[in-house]
Every structure is written in C-alpha cells, then in structure tokens.
Amino acid sequence: MSAVAKKKTKTAEIKPWINTLAYWFSATDRQLDLGLRTTLHCAVTGDKPAFFLPPDMANNQPDNLSYLHRLAAGHNCRLIEDRRSIDIKPLIEQRSDGVSPMMQATIQLLQQTGMKGRNIKPAFPNRLNDNGIHVPLPELIDLAVRVVEDGKRVVVLPNPTLVELLGGDTHPIIGYAANIHAGDDRVTVAYFDSPKYRAVGYRSGNQYVNHVLLGGGPAHKPEVWAAEQTLLESNARFQLYRSQKRSFDMGLLSVAQFINL
C-alpha cells in the first residue's frame, strides 16, 4: 500500500475532552481575579433548574452576569439575580449526616479506583490543609492533559450514588492517573471522564483535592456539562478568566472537594 493510500485510510485521532478545555484556557491570562468570582446555589423553580446569584451583580459583576445569562439561555435554566429575600440553605446542611451525595459519590469513586487511605472522609472545613500543595485549576487541567497521554488508565462502572447523581446515567467512567511534577512538587494527578461526569484532582499529602467540572467554556459559547441532578446537588463556584478578545473570555463552573485520606 502506498504512502498516499495509507494516509487516506488512517482514522483521524479524536482528542480527549480535557484537551479542548485546556485549549480554551490557553487563550486566557489564567489570573484569579477575585472580582470575577461568584458563588452560585442551584434549585428547581417551576420545573426548571435555577441558579441563585448574589445581589446586585448587574453593578458589581456585570461581566459575570452577562456570561451566566448566556449559559442559562442556552440550557433552559433560570437565573434569580437577588437572593437577599430568599431563604436558601446550603444543600449539605439539609442532610442528617452532613455529607452531600456528590461528596459520597466522589469518595466511593476514589475507593473503586484504588485510592489508598486509612479513613477516607470529607475534610471539615472543606478546604486545603495549611501545609497542603495548592495547584491552580487551570494548571491542573494542563497536567490532566499529560496524565491522559502518559498515565495509567482504568475503566469503572459508576457506583449507585453516582448513577443517581447523574440522573440515571450508567456510562462507564474512564479514569487516568500519574505521578507528575507540579512546579517544584511531585503529586498524583487524576482525571475522570464520562458523558455526564468530569473531574480533575490531585493528592496533596494526606488530602485529595477534587474539582467536579459542571460547565463553562468560552464566552461566545458557554455550556453545561453536568446532569441536572448534579447541578441540584451543587453549591458551585464560578470563575471568569480574561482573554484579549472578550468573546473568548473563559468561564468555569465547578465544585471543589477536599477529602482526608
């Protein structure tokens, strides 16, 4: 077979989803501007998911609000822009054991994939230990691209808690993990991928830091990646990253989980 024929019959390589996310980030300055960060709460109003926003975003965070309007418009979500008169309790406080289904699902997934720890449980409070290694999320996404290329690959079926969280989705979850350099430190980075669940995380000493990626993308085409049920279990952080072209500003809606090992 000639070289030309071989070229014609070669199957085009499909890039992993995380590569696309890293590509979007490459156009931004990646700076964490606190003025471009927002905490959102989600609930159902009138049979539609709704994001409850901080008050007076139109004046205080107009760019964030503009991005979230585009996100909501494209995915049949409501935005409720003033929650001062609405009693919204964090979902985690509504559960007798204090552990949300999203946290339970993550812990069970880590156990399924062989994460070692004598007593894996949620960190309280939900934050990085004082001596922990901090890896900014854009950098962690870049590391995940390398892990997909060179790391160990496993395929697991979602546990029952995760299936419920994903609205009944039972697609296998592909996990990747590798020890990799992050600055001056060497950490274990993991990436989980399925049609309705995407998360990237790393081990920092006796903690695992996990970021569940719910939605985002460039400002001209924001998307929701998670199942509706997942959104309803989320008190999420939204961060807007600047680009030289405003239409390519990058937004990311995610939940940070800190787990003691």
Side-chain angles (χ1 to χ4, degrees):
M1 184 182 290
S2 69
V4 173
K6 288 180 181 179
K7 186 174 182 181
K8 287 183 178 179
T9 58
K10 184 178 179 180
T11 302
E13 182 181 359
I14 300 175
K15 291 291 185 181
W17 180 87
I18 197 71
N19 289 54
T20 301
L21 189 60
Y23 173 76
W24 288 335
F25 263 116
S26 68
T28 72
D29 60 15
R30 299 178 177 229
Q31 298 301 308
L32 285 175
D33 185 339
L34 294 179
L36 298 176
R37 177 181 294 180
T38 305
T39 299
L40 309 177
H41 302 278
C42 191
V44 172
T45 61
D47 296 327
K48 286 186 178 182
F51 290 116
F52 291 85
L53 311 180
D56 207 20
M57 281 193 72
N59 292 321
N60 297 331
Q61 296 180 311
D63 293 332
N64 282 23
L65 183 59
S66 177
Y67 183 101
L68 291 171
H69 268 297
R70 285 193 293 273
L71 181 71
H75 292 84
N76 199 31
C77 296
R78 287 190 172 94
L79 293 183
I80 299 177
E81 298 174 19
D82 189 340
R83 64 173 185 239
R84 285 173 294 186
S85 60
I86 303 172
D87 182 20
I88 305 173
K89 295 181 180 180
L91 292 173
I92 194 170
E93 294 180 2
Q94 299 177 18
R95 304 185 182 279
S96 58
D97 60 1
V99 180
S100 71
M102 181 179 287
M103 178 64 81
Q104 290 175 340
T106 297
I107 289 175
Q108 292 171 12
L109 182 60
L110 293 177
Q111 292 170 331
Q112 280 181 272
T113 53
M115 177 65 72
K116 295 180 180 179
R118 288 181 294 180
N119 186 20
I120 301 177
K121 62 182 181 180
F124 183 81
N126 185 52
R127 68 185 184 195
L128 186 66
N129 288 340
D130 291 340
N131 60 349
I133 300 168
H134 173 63
V135 182
L137 189 48
E139 180 182 341
L140 186 59
I141 289 168
D142 284 343
L143 295 177
V145 172
R146 293 165 53 191
V147 168
V148 170
E149 294 174 351
D150 303 323
K152 179 181 177 181
R153 181 180 184 272
V154 297
V155 179
V156 298
L157 294 177
N159 56 68
T161 305
L162 194 51
V163 170
E164 183 177 356
L165 187 72
L166 302 180
D169 188 272
T170 58
H171 280 87
I173 296 173
I174 303 174
Y176 306 86
N179 292 321
I180 198 166
H181 282 290
D184 296 329
D185 300 297
R186 190 169 180 84
V187 296
T188 300
V189 175
Y191 168 58
F192 295 100
D193 188 11
S194 77
K196 294 295 183 180
Y197 181 83
R198 294 177 173 116
V200 59
Y202 66 99
R203 183 162 185 160
S204 171
N206 63 350
Q207 272 191 320
Y208 184 80
V209 181
N210 190 55
H211 296 274
V212 183
L213 307 175
L214 304 175
H220 68 276
K221 191 181 179 183
E223 299 177 347
V224 173
W225 307 316
E228 180 178 305
Q229 184 62 33
T230 307
L231 294 177
L232 297 181
E233 296 292 347
S234 307
N235 289 329
R237 182 181 71 182
F238 172 75
Q239 181 73 56
L240 189 66
Y241 298 85
R242 290 297 195 189
S243 175
Q244 289 185 350
K245 291 185 177 181
R246 284 291 179 258
S247 63
F248 285 91
D249 283 355
M250 168 74 185
L252 194 60
L253 188 67
S254 62
V255 172
Q257 300 173 316
F258 299 89
I259 299 166
N260 291 337
L261 304 175

